[in-house]
């Protein structure tokens, strides 16, 4: 008798739970986000979105390529509505795997310059990163620097630090050069650059900057937010290293410095497409653009939004106006060139 009542009670509780769960799904709008940005760099702005719209955001963070693999494996059953990742080459890849869908939004078209979004509206840049040349202020006269191509000059023999060709940032840089100069010229350039390496590529962008500061090389190619991060780190050693580094904007007399984006896409599998679109539009608003760029040490993708004062100190610069989807289109060409040049 006792156990029968227990079973009945348990059944009642489970049934109520299922009902409530079912109701809750209908009652509480939500959007599921897969993000390669660290939680601290994205969560506050997602919280602001929830506060403004009442739409709950469920955040899953992970590594860029792992999240794309996860979306692929989950297919149509994926709970993800939105993918946030870095590098247009990777956003292009997600699109070419059929993991994204088009979002037709006047707000996004207006806020985000055409070069920084997919021509078919499958992904949109959220923030802009530049990949300039960085140099040792005490050893290099910036007047001796011109553009990426001139890093192969004899003057820089044994003095160039840059990370591995396995990294998509370099693949995208090389792809941008192919778009502008053609395969043959870039193949020659890559061979010349490898010839000028100070050492076999090791570590990430921050390690190249540190190597310049430590005197292992005179020049490096690195994304600006790493230098920003070192200056903001509060670690005296990193600060001291970063203070020895100058930022040189290459190719100012022709196509402009190579830039890339962190970006966002609505997944093909999205069950909450409308809420996802609302989130994209929220992230393109002026105040969010400013917050998002500043916390990441990047530039706002939207024109007319002021960058962080530290970035302003490095000066304005002409950006390569190439449509960033080209970086994806030319990715395999770039990888081939780097392989042949013996760029590890
Ligand atoms: Fe990075």
């Amino acid at each position: 008798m006792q156990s029968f009542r227990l079973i009945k009670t348990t059944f009642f509780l489970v049934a109520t739970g299922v009902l409530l769960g079912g109701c809750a799904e209908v009652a509480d709008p939500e959007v599921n986000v897969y993000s390669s940005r660290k939680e601290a760099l994205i969560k506050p702005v997602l919280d602001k979105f929830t506060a403004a719209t009442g739409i709950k955001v469920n955040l899953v963070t992970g590594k860029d390529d792992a999240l794309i693999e996860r979306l692929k494996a989950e297919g149509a059953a994926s709970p993800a509505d939105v993918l946030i990742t870095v590098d247009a080459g990777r956003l292009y890849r997600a699109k070419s795997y059929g993991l994204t869908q088009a979002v037709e939004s006047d707000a996004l078209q207006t806020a985000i310059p055409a070069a920084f979004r997919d021509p078919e509206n499958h992904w949109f840049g959220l923030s802009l990163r530049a990949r300039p040349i960085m140099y040792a202020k005490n050893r290099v006269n910036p007047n001796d620097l011109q553009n990426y191509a001139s890093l192969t000059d004899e003057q820089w023999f044994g003095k160039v630090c840059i990370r591995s060709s396995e990294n998509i940032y370099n693949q995208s840089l090389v792809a941008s050069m192919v778009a502008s100069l053609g395969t043959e010229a870039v193949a020659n350039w890559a061979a010349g650059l490898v010839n000028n390496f100070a050492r076999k590529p090791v570590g990430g962008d921050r390690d190249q900057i540190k190597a310049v500061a430590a005197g292992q090389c005179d020049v490096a190619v690195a994304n600006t937010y790493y230098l920003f991060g070192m200056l903001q780190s509060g670690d005296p050693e990193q600060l001291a290293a970063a203070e020895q580094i100058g930022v040189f904007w290459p190719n100012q007399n022709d196509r402009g410095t190579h830039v890339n984006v962190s970006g966002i896409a609505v997944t093909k599998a999205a069950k909450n497409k409308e809420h996802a679109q609302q989130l994209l539009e929220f992230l393109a608003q002026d105040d969010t653009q400013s917050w998002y760029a500043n916390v990441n040490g990047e530039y706002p993708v939207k024109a007319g939004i002021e960058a962080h004062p530290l970035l302003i100190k490095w000066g304005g610069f002409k950006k390569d106006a190439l449509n960033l989807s080209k970086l994806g289109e030319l990715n395999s060409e770039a990888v081939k060139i780097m392989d042949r040049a013996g760029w590890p």
Side-chain angles (χ1 to χ4, degrees), residues 51-113:
T53 61
I55 299 169
K56 187 182 165 208
V57 181
N58 304 308
L59 176 65
V60 171
T61 57
K63 292 261 180 219
D64 300 283
D65 293 324
L67 286 178
I68 290 178
E69 287 309 312
R70 182 165 167 180
L71 281 174
K72 248 166 108 177
E74 290 170 344
S78 176
D81 300 303
V82 166
L83 172 69
I84 296 175
T85 191
V86 300
D87 204 287
R90 214 176 253 126
L91 289 155
Y92 178 94
R93 201 177 288 162
K95 181 192 175 191
S96 64
Y97 290 158
L99 301 175
T100 58
Q101 62 173 300
V103 174
E104 306 304 334
S105 158
D106 289 342
L108 292 173
Q109 302 278 328
T110 311
I112 302 166

Side-chain angles (χ1 to χ4, degrees), residues 129 163 169 223 225-226:
R129 55 264 305 279
R163 73 197 292 177
Y169 302 161
N223 286 355
Y225 57 86
Y226 289 105

Side-chain angles (χ1 to χ4, degrees), residues 30-37 42-43 45-46 49-50 55-62 67 70-71 78-85 126 263-265 267 272 275-276 279-280 283 292:
E30 60 179 6
V31 59
N32 298 310
V33 175
Y34 282 7
S35 167
S36 74
R37 299 239 107 159
I42 186 81
K43 180 85 167 41
V45 82
L46 298 177
F49 171 72
T50 301
I55 299 169
K56 187 182 165 208
V57 181
N58 304 308
L59 176 65
V60 171
T61 57
L67 286 178
R70 182 165 167 180
L71 281 174
S78 176
D81 300 303
V82 166
L83 172 69
I84 296 175
T85 191
L126 283 183
I264 192 163
T267 66
N272 303 294
H275 301 143
L279 176 60
L280 266 61
L283 291 171
Y292 188 75

Side-chain angles (χ1 to χ4, degrees), residues 206-287:
R206 199 183 285 241
D207 298 300
Q208 315 313 313
I209 300 171
K210 286 180 181 170
V212 172
Q216 288 178 274
C217 29
D218 280 356
V219 290
V221 177
N223 286 355
T224 38
Y225 57 86
Y226 289 105
L227 186 59
F228 174 92
M230 289 170 75
L231 290 166
Q232 297 277 88
S233 70
D235 169 4
E237 217 172 290
Q238 293 209 39
L239 181 65
E243 279 174 344
Q244 296 179 54
I245 304 297
V247 172
F248 179 82
W249 301 111
N251 296 80
Q252 294 303 285
N253 297 323
D254 45 82
R255 67 183 181 277
T257 297
H258 172 60
V259 292
N260 208 317
V261 289
S262 83
I264 192 163
V266 173
T267 66
K268 182 75 170 278
K271 318 283 185 296
N272 303 294
K273 190 183 173 186
E274 249 173 71
H275 301 143
Q277 180 169 338
Q278 271 177 272
L279 176 60
L280 266 61
E281 289 170 354
F282 182 81
L283 291 171
Q285 282 175 14
D286 290 10
D287 52 342

